[in-house]
Protein backbone atom coordinates (compact mmCIF):
# COMPACT_ATOMS: atom_id res chain seq x y z
CA UNK A 1 0.00 0.00 0.00
CA UNK A 2 1.24 3.49 -0.90
CA UNK A 3 0.21 6.03 1.72
CA UNK A 4 -0.75 9.49 0.53
CA UNK A 5 1.09 12.45 2.14
CA UNK A 6 -2.17 13.44 3.81
CA UNK A 7 -2.70 9.86 4.96
CA UNK A 8 -5.81 9.51 2.85
CA UNK A 9 -5.86 6.75 0.31
CA UNK A 10 -8.55 5.50 -1.99
CA UNK A 11 -9.43 2.31 -3.78
CA UNK A 12 -9.06 2.12 -7.55
CA UNK A 13 -9.43 -0.48 -10.28
CA UNK A 14 -6.52 -0.96 -12.63
CA UNK A 15 -6.03 -3.06 -15.76
CA UNK A 16 -2.62 -4.64 -15.25
CA UNK A 17 -2.29 -6.24 -18.70
CA UNK A 18 -4.35 -7.10 -21.75
CA UNK A 19 -6.69 -10.05 -21.21
CA UNK A 20 -10.07 -11.24 -19.91
CA UNK A 21 -11.57 -9.14 -17.08
CA UNK A 22 -11.48 -11.94 -14.49
CA UNK A 23 -7.70 -12.15 -14.93
CA UNK A 24 -6.43 -8.62 -15.46
CA UNK A 25 -8.47 -6.28 -13.20
CA UNK A 26 -6.88 -5.43 -9.86
CA UNK A 27 -8.13 -3.37 -6.91
CA UNK A 28 -5.35 -1.09 -5.64
CA UNK A 29 -4.74 1.50 -2.94
CA UNK A 30 -3.62 4.83 -4.34
CA UNK A 31 -3.19 8.34 -2.92
CA UNK A 32 -6.32 10.47 -3.11
CA UNK A 33 -5.62 13.18 -5.74
CA UNK A 34 -5.56 16.86 -4.88
CA UNK A 35 -7.27 19.14 -7.42
CA UNK A 36 -4.87 21.34 -9.39
CA UNK A 37 -5.65 24.84 -10.70
CA UNK A 38 -8.86 24.75 -12.71
CA UNK A 39 -9.82 21.33 -11.34
CA UNK A 40 -12.18 19.86 -8.79
CA UNK A 41 -11.88 16.61 -6.90
CA UNK A 42 -14.92 14.45 -7.47
CA UNK A 43 -16.19 11.79 -5.09
CA UNK A 44 -17.22 9.25 -7.71
CA UNK A 45 -20.70 7.80 -7.18
CA UNK A 46 -21.14 6.03 -10.55
CA UNK A 47 -18.93 5.15 -13.48
CA UNK A 48 -20.16 4.07 -16.91
CA UNK A 49 -18.17 1.71 -19.08
CA UNK A 50 -18.26 2.07 -22.86
CA UNK A 51 -16.45 0.51 -25.79
CA UNK A 52 -13.35 2.62 -25.14
CA UNK A 53 -13.05 0.76 -21.83
CA UNK A 54 -13.16 -2.56 -23.65
CA UNK A 55 -10.41 -1.31 -25.97
CA UNK A 56 -8.44 -0.23 -22.90
CA UNK A 57 -8.41 -3.85 -21.72
CA UNK A 58 -8.25 -5.81 -24.97
CA UNK A 59 -6.06 -3.42 -26.94
CA UNK A 60 -7.07 -0.70 -29.38
CA UNK A 61 -6.39 -1.50 -33.04
CA UNK A 62 -4.70 1.88 -33.58
CA UNK A 63 -3.10 2.70 -30.24
CA UNK A 64 -0.17 1.07 -28.50
CA UNK A 65 -1.13 0.05 -24.97
CA UNK A 66 0.64 0.88 -21.76
CA UNK A 67 -0.21 -0.89 -18.51
CA UNK A 68 -1.26 -0.56 -15.78
CA UNK A 69 -4.08 1.87 -16.52
CA UNK A 70 -7.31 2.88 -14.84
CA UNK A 71 -10.43 2.58 -17.00
CA UNK A 72 -13.74 4.40 -16.65
CA UNK A 73 -14.52 6.84 -19.45
CA UNK A 74 -17.65 8.41 -18.00
CA UNK A 75 -18.45 9.27 -14.40
CA UNK A 76 -20.76 11.17 -12.09
CA UNK A 77 -20.42 12.16 -8.47
CA UNK A 78 -20.27 14.93 -5.90
CA UNK A 79 -17.71 17.74 -5.83
CA UNK A 80 -15.47 17.06 -2.84
CA UNK A 81 -12.86 19.83 -3.10
CA UNK A 82 -12.35 22.81 -5.43
CA UNK A 83 -8.91 23.83 -6.76
CA UNK A 84 -7.61 27.33 -7.39
CA UNK A 85 -9.09 29.41 -10.23
CA UNK A 86 -12.41 27.55 -10.24
CA UNK A 87 -15.62 29.57 -10.21
CA UNK A 88 -19.17 28.35 -9.97
CA UNK A 89 -18.64 24.98 -8.28
CA UNK A 90 -18.74 24.11 -4.58
CA UNK A 91 -18.30 21.00 -2.45
CA UNK A 92 -21.54 19.03 -2.47
CA UNK A 93 -22.53 19.90 -6.06
CA UNK A 94 -23.89 16.91 -8.01
CA UNK A 95 -22.15 16.69 -11.39
CA UNK A 96 -21.22 14.51 -14.30
CA UNK A 97 -18.06 14.79 -16.38
CA UNK A 98 -17.87 15.29 -20.14
CA UNK A 99 -15.29 12.70 -21.11
CA UNK A 100 -13.46 14.56 -23.92
CA UNK A 101 -10.70 17.02 -23.01
CA UNK A 102 -9.98 19.03 -26.12
CA UNK A 103 -7.42 21.78 -26.77
CA UNK A 104 -9.93 24.63 -27.05
CA UNK A 105 -7.77 26.43 -29.64
CA UNK A 106 -7.80 24.48 -32.92
CA UNK A 107 -10.17 25.13 -35.86
CA UNK A 108 -12.48 22.30 -34.74
CA UNK A 109 -12.69 23.50 -31.14
CA UNK A 110 -13.34 27.05 -32.29
CA UNK A 111 -16.41 25.99 -34.27
CA UNK A 112 -17.77 23.73 -31.52
CA UNK A 113 -16.58 20.39 -32.98
CA UNK A 114 -14.53 19.38 -29.96
CA UNK A 115 -14.80 15.66 -30.70
CA UNK A 116 -12.90 16.28 -33.98
CA UNK A 117 -10.01 18.00 -32.14
CA UNK A 118 -6.70 16.31 -33.11
CA UNK A 119 -5.47 16.92 -29.56
CA UNK A 120 -8.59 15.37 -27.99
CA UNK A 121 -7.95 13.10 -24.99
CA UNK A 122 -10.32 10.99 -22.90
CA UNK A 123 -10.61 9.73 -19.36
CA UNK A 124 -9.90 6.03 -19.06
CA UNK A 125 -7.63 6.08 -22.11
CA UNK A 126 -5.39 9.16 -21.95
CA UNK A 127 -6.11 10.10 -18.32
CA UNK A 128 -6.86 7.84 -15.35
CA UNK A 129 -10.56 6.99 -15.54
CA UNK A 130 -13.47 6.97 -13.14
CA UNK A 131 -13.01 3.54 -11.52
CA UNK A 132 -11.71 5.16 -8.36
CA UNK A 133 -13.27 6.60 -5.24
CA UNK A 134 -11.94 10.08 -6.12
CA UNK A 135 -10.86 11.69 -9.40
CA UNK A 136 -9.42 15.15 -10.14
CA UNK A 137 -11.07 16.54 -13.28
CA UNK A 138 -11.15 19.90 -15.12
CA UNK A 139 -14.00 22.08 -13.85
CA UNK A 140 -14.68 23.04 -17.47
CA UNK A 141 -15.86 19.47 -18.11
CA UNK A 142 -18.56 19.46 -15.40
CA UNK A 143 -22.30 19.56 -15.96
CA UNK A 144 -24.80 19.87 -13.10
CA UNK A 145 -26.96 16.83 -12.31
CA UNK A 146 -30.49 17.65 -11.09
CA UNK A 147 -31.71 16.01 -7.88
CA UNK A 148 -34.30 13.93 -9.75
CA UNK A 149 -31.62 12.25 -11.93
CA UNK A 150 -29.82 9.34 -10.26
CA UNK A 151 -26.04 9.06 -10.51
CA UNK A 152 -26.07 5.90 -12.65
CA UNK A 153 -28.14 7.69 -15.29
CA UNK A 154 -25.99 10.81 -15.04
CA UNK A 155 -22.80 8.80 -15.60
CA UNK A 156 -24.25 6.98 -18.60
CA UNK A 157 -25.61 9.83 -20.69
CA UNK A 158 -22.67 12.01 -21.97
CA UNK A 159 -21.32 9.76 -24.72
CA UNK A 160 -24.69 8.36 -25.82
CA UNK A 161 -26.43 11.73 -25.75
CA UNK A 162 -23.69 13.69 -27.50
CA UNK A 163 -23.30 10.98 -30.17
CA UNK A 164 -27.04 11.18 -30.94
CA UNK A 165 -26.92 15.00 -30.81
CA UNK A 166 -24.04 15.15 -33.27
CA UNK A 167 -25.81 12.76 -35.63
CA UNK A 168 -29.18 14.51 -35.52
CA UNK A 169 -28.30 18.16 -35.01
CA UNK A 170 -24.70 18.77 -36.10
CA UNK A 171 -24.66 16.22 -38.93
CA UNK A 172 -28.31 15.96 -39.91
CA UNK A 173 -29.23 19.59 -39.40
CA UNK A 174 -32.33 18.72 -37.38
CA UNK A 175 -33.66 21.57 -35.28
CA UNK A 176 -36.97 23.22 -34.49
CA UNK A 177 -36.66 25.69 -37.36
CA UNK A 178 -36.09 23.00 -40.01
CA UNK A 179 -39.16 21.01 -38.91
CA UNK A 180 -41.54 23.92 -39.45
ZN1 LIG B 1 -8.86 21.42 -30.44
Amino acid sequence: MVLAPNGRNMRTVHIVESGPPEEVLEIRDRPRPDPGPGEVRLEVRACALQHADVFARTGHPEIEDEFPKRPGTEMAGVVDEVGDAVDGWSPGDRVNVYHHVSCGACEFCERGEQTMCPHDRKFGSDFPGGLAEYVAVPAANLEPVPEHVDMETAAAWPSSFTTAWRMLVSGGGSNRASRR
Side-chain angles (χ1 to χ4, degrees), residues 12-16 24-28 30 68-71:
T12 67
V13 174
H14 277 78
I15 303 171
V16 294
V24 301
L25 297 180
E26 195 172 285
I27 295 176
R28 294 183 166 186
R30 282 288 178 266
K69 55 185 160 186
R70 196 173 82 205

Side-chain angles (χ1 to χ4, degrees), residues 58-75:
T58 61
H60 192 285
E62 299 169 2
I63 301 172
E64 189 171 337
D65 282 306
E66 291 181 19
F67 295 101
K69 55 185 160 186
R70 196 173 82 205
T73 304
E74 300 178 276
M75 63 196 99

Side-chain angles (χ1 to χ4, degrees), residues 6 10 12 20 39 49 57 75 135 149 157 170 177:
N6 55 18
M10 64 175 185
T12 67
E39 294 182 337
L49 301 177
R57 180 176 52 77
M75 63 196 99
V135 179
V149 176
W157 81 256
S170 307

Side-chain angles (χ1 to χ4, degrees), residues 4-168:
N6 55 18
R8 294 179 302 173
N9 271 18
M10 64 175 185
R11 287 174 298 165
T12 67
V13 174
H14 277 78
I15 303 171
V16 294
E17 61 182 315
S18 183
E22 64 274 18
E23 294 179 12
V24 301
L25 297 180
E26 195 172 285
I27 295 176
R28 294 183 166 186
D29 283 291
R30 282 288 178 266
R32 194 180 299 188
D34 290 322
E39 294 182 337
V40 306
R41 182 171 62 207
L42 190 67
E43 183 185 329
V44 179
R45 297 286 174 83
C47 180
L49 301 177
Q50 55 158 272
H51 208 81
D53 295 297
V54 176
F55 280 145
R57 180 176 52 77
T58 61
H60 192 285
E62 299 169 2
I63 301 172
E64 189 171 337
D65 282 306
E66 291 181 19
F67 295 101
K69 55 185 160 186
R70 196 173 82 205
T73 304
E74 300 178 276
M75 63 196 99
V78 176
V79 174
D80 176 61
E81 187 172 320
V82 177
D84 292 337
V86 172
D87 292 323
W89 300 106
S90 304
D93 288 344
R94 291 160 47 85
V95 297
N96 69 3
V97 182
Y98 184 60
H99 51 295
H100 288 273
V101 179
S102 48
C103 77
C106 72
E107 59 176 304
F108 299 104
C109 286
E110 286 187 353
R111 65 170 188 247
E113 302 255 16
Q114 286 90 347
T115 56
M116 302 295 287
C117 173
H119 312 291
D120 177 66
R121 295 180 294 167
K122 286 200 296 278
F123 296 100
S125 303
D126 307 296
F127 304 110
L131 287 181
E133 291 177 293
Y134 295 88
V135 179
V137 296
N141 283 53
L142 301 181
E143 290 290 337
V145 174
E147 287 291 336
H148 68 275
V149 176
D150 63 64
M151 287 294 180
E152 290 84 356
T153 302
W157 81 256
S159 179
S160 303
F161 179 85
T162 55
T163 299
W165 179 272
R166 178 168 172 73
M167 181 172 64
L168 291 169

